[in-house]
Amino acid sequence: MKQLLITADAGEARAAILEQGKLTELYVERSDRRSLVGNIYKGRVVNVLPGMDAAFVDIGLEKNGFLYVDEVVRPDDPEAKGKKITQLLKTGQEIVVQVVKDAMGVKGARLTTELSIAGRYLVFVPGATMYGVSRKLPDEERQRLRKICQEVKPEKGGVIIRTAAEGVSEKAVTRDLRFLEKLWATVQKRLELNVSNILYSEADLAIKVVRDEFTEEIGQVLVDDEGLQKRIVNFLQTTTPEMIERVQLYQGSRPLFETYGIEAEIKRSLGRRADLPSGGYLIIDHTEALTVIDVNSGRYVGRRHLEDTIVQTNLEACREVVRQLRIRDIGGIIVIDFIDMNRRENREQVVNTLESELARDRTKTYVVELSPLGLVEMTRQNVTDGIRGIMTRVCPGCGGEGRLLSAESIAIEVERKLRLMAAENQTEAFLVEVHPEVAGLFVADGGRRAQRLGEETQRLFVFEGVDYLGREELSIAAEGSREVITRAALPVTQGQQLDVTISERNTYESRDGVARLGGYAIVVFGAGELVGRKVSVVIDRVSRNCAYARRA
C-alpha cells in the first residue's frame, strides 16, 4: 500500500510518497521560492531573436521568460506552426503565456502560449478543439473514457483525460470539467480587467500533490496540520468525496517525517552516495550539462561467479537509480555507468529492468540502449530545480567546483606576490594578513618559512591569520620600519599552541580565565579556577584587542 504524507511548517511545505514504507517521491516548496509551473501571465515581448527562433518575454519576474517558436500556438492561425518567430511576434507585443519550466541557474522560465488548466481527472485546454486520453491507461479503459470525452467535451476548448480518471464515472469527469471551465472564465475576466499580470496561479504544494498523486493506489494520506487537512477535505469534497475518509490527521508526539524516517532520507539524498541493499553503492555527480551516476560493487563480493555478482549489483542499481531520480527530481541528460557485463543477455536484462522501473515514474523519460562501455544514456523531463536546487546553494569558497586550493599552494602564491612587492618597494617591513590556515604555515617551526622569505628579499614579513579574509586573499595591513611592524604585530596566531599563566578571572564571565602576553590578553575558556597556574592552550580566535583560546 502506498502512503502520502504531507507536513507544513512556517516557511516550507513538504510531501512524500511511500511505497511499502520506503520513500519514492519527495516534493518541497518554500514560501519564498514557489514553483511557477502552471502559472498564467500577461506578458510583453521584449526581444525577438531570429537566429534562435525564439523570444524573451517580460512576465514580471527577475529574469525574462524564454518562448521558443514551437511553443507559440495561435488558434486563429492554422498555418502558424510553420512560421518563423519574427512572423508570429513583435517587440512590445502583449501576449498571454504559461510557465512550463521553472527558471534554473542563469536561464529564465520556459514559456508556452498553449494554455491549459489541470484538474483532478482531466486537463482543460481552452485554445484547442481536440480531446485525448492518457496513454498509460489500458486500451479498454481508454475507449470508455473516449466515449465520455465525446459526451462531455465543451463547445469551446479541448480536454485531455488524465491517468487518475481510471475507473471514475462520467458524472465525476463532468464535475471536474465544469469546475475548470469556471476557473478559465475567471482567468478571462482578470485579463479583461487588466488588474494584474498574473492571471492564474497554480495550487499550493499540498493541494497540487493531492490532485495529481492521490489515486486508488494510495491507501492513506497523513497530514500533520489540522487547517491543511480541512483544506484538502474541502478540495476532495468537490472532486472525489468517496476518498475523504483516507485523509487522516497525524497526531503523534514526534514529527511526522521523523516518525517515518523521511528526514534521514532527505539528508542522504543531498549527498553524492546512495547505498544498495547488497553492499554496492551509487555515486551521483551533477555537472552543467548532465548528471552522471556511477555504479560500484563496494563490499559486495557475491557467492559464485564474477558475472553473477556484477549482474546482481547492476539490477539493484536500476531500482535505486530510479528511486533517486524521483526523490531528487533529477532531470535533463543522465548517464549511468553500470559495471561492465560480458553477456549480451545480462546487458538486456539490466536495460529492461531499468525501463520497467522507469515506467512507474510519472515524469517523461527516454532511454538509449546500453553501450559496449556499459553506459546508459537517458533523458528525464526537467521541470523544477529539485530538492538540491531548493535546499542547497553553491559553495562560496569553491564556486561549485568541489575543490579548494590547498593551503600550501596558496602560501607559495603569497610568497611570489611578496617577492614581487619587495622588488618594487623600498619599505623595510610589512604586516601581512592572510587566512589563518595559510598563516599557520608561515609561523610553524618558529616562523622558519617567514624567516627564509625575509632573508631572500632582505625584508621583514610578519604574518597574521584573520578569519575575515578568504582562503586566497592577501592584505598588507601595515608597512614601515622593522621596529614599527614588530610593535604592530599580534603576539599570537590562530591555531598556535603555547604555555601561558592564568593571571585573573574574566570580568564578564567568571568561568573563563585571562592570561597576558605583555599587555595582550588571552581569554582561556573554562580556566577561571586556574588563576596562578600554568596551562597549555590552543588559540582559537584572534583580534586586535584579545585572543580566545581553549586548553590543549
Side-chain angles (χ1 to χ4, degrees), residues 187-374:
V187 171
Q188 289 179 303
K189 191 169 184 179
R190 289 178 66 87
L191 181 61
E192 292 170 4
L193 295 174
N194 198 25
V195 293
S196 170
N197 74 311
I198 304 178
L199 305 177
Y200 170 75
S201 293
E202 256 287 15
D204 59 31
L205 178 71
I207 299 300
K208 189 161 54 176
V209 169
V210 168
R211 181 193 71 195
D212 296 343
E213 302 287 353
F214 188 19
T215 62
E216 290 295 332
E217 293 181 332
I218 293 180
Q220 182 186 43
V221 178
L222 277 179
V223 187
D224 66 356
D225 181 84
E226 187 173 1
L228 184 56
Q229 184 215 16
K230 289 180 180 178
R231 285 184 55 222
I232 292 172
V233 168
N234 289 338
F235 170 75
L236 292 174
Q237 194 74 52
T238 62
T239 57
T240 47
E242 67 276 7
M243 300 179 78
I244 289 176
E245 61 181 19
R246 301 188 202 177
V247 181
Q248 300 169 13
L249 179 65
Y250 174 77
Q251 296 177 316
S253 57
R254 297 178 64 206
L256 176 61
F257 273 30
E258 285 282 356
T259 300
Y260 284 83
I262 298 172
E263 295 291 4
E265 282 273 19
I266 292 174
K267 289 180 181 178
R268 283 194 290 269
S269 68
L270 294 175
R272 295 176 66 221
R273 176 166 171 154
D275 292 322
L276 302 177
S278 294
Y281 60 91
L282 309 175
I283 294 295
I284 304 172
D285 285 318
H286 301 269
T287 72
E288 185 71 21
L290 49 82
T291 299
V292 180
I293 302 177
D294 185 32
V295 181
N296 297 278
S297 58
R299 57 183 173 81
Y300 180 55
V301 295
R303 296 181 179 179
R304 295 185 296 173
H305 305 293
L306 174 62
E307 182 80 359
D308 294 338
T309 304
I310 291 172
V311 172
Q312 175 65 24
T313 303
N314 284 339
L315 292 176
E316 288 184 357
C318 289
R319 302 178 186 98
E320 187 61 24
V321 162
V322 176
R323 192 173 84 94
Q324 292 298 325
L325 294 180
R326 295 170 69 186
I327 293 173
R328 302 174 188 227
D329 197 16
I330 298 173
I333 300 172
I334 300 159
V335 175
I336 309 168
D337 183 9
F338 287 102
I339 305 172
D340 292 343
M341 294 167 287
N342 295 323
R343 298 175 186 171
R344 180 179 178 181
E345 59 267 26
N346 290 337
R347 295 197 293 269
E348 291 177 350
Q349 183 185 4
V350 168
V351 173
N352 291 339
T353 301
L354 179 64
E355 291 178 337
S356 175
E357 293 294 320
L358 286 170
R360 302 161 65 183
D361 186 4
R362 289 180 63 251
T363 304
K364 293 179 181 177
T365 58
Y366 173 73
V367 178
V368 180
E369 65 181 10
L370 191 68
S371 76
L373 295 176

Side-chain angles (χ1 to χ4, degrees), residues 513-552:
V514 177
R516 295 191 181 275
L517 294 178
Y520 189 76
I522 301 176
V523 178
V524 183
F525 298 114
E529 301 290 339
L530 303 177
V531 175
R533 293 174 58 181
K534 195 171 189 178
V535 295
S536 183
V537 301
V538 176
I539 305 298
D540 280 335
R541 188 156 54 91
V542 179
S543 71
R544 284 287 168 196
N545 300 318
C546 65
Y548 296 89
R550 52 186 165 80
R551 281 181 285 175

Side-chain angles (χ1 to χ4, degrees), residues 1 3 10 69 73 124 135 140 147 155 181 250 269 285 328 332 353 355 362 371 383 387 401 408 410 459 492 497:
M1 181 186 73
Q3 291 174 291
V69 66
V73 178
F124 177 54
R135 294 181 179 179
E140 188 175 332
K147 291 179 181 178
E155 294 181 7
E181 286 179 317
Y250 174 77
S269 68
D285 285 318
R328 302 174 188 227
T353 301
E355 291 178 337
R362 289 180 63 251
S371 76
V383 178
I387 63 170
E401 290 291 327
E408 177 65 27
I410 298 169
R459 302 288 191 275
V492 296
Q497 183 171 339

Side-chain angles (χ1 to χ4, degrees), residues 1 99 121 146 215 220 287 418-419 468 471-472 517:
M1 181 186 73
V99 177
Y121 299 125
R146 279 184 180 278
T215 62
Q220 182 186 43
T287 72
L418 294 179
R419 287 192 193 99
Y468 56 78
R471 284 172 53 85
E472 299 179 38
L517 294 178

Side-chain angles (χ1 to χ4, degrees), residues 103-137:
M104 297 182 192
V106 297
K107 299 178 181 178
R110 185 78 176 261
L111 308 176
T112 182
T113 64
E114 186 173 20
L115 311 180
S116 62
I117 302 179
R120 181 90 170 97
Y121 299 125
L122 54 85
V123 177
F124 177 54
V125 188
T129 56
M130 53 72 181
Y131 63 89
V133 180
S134 170
R135 294 181 179 179
K136 292 184 178 180
L137 295 171

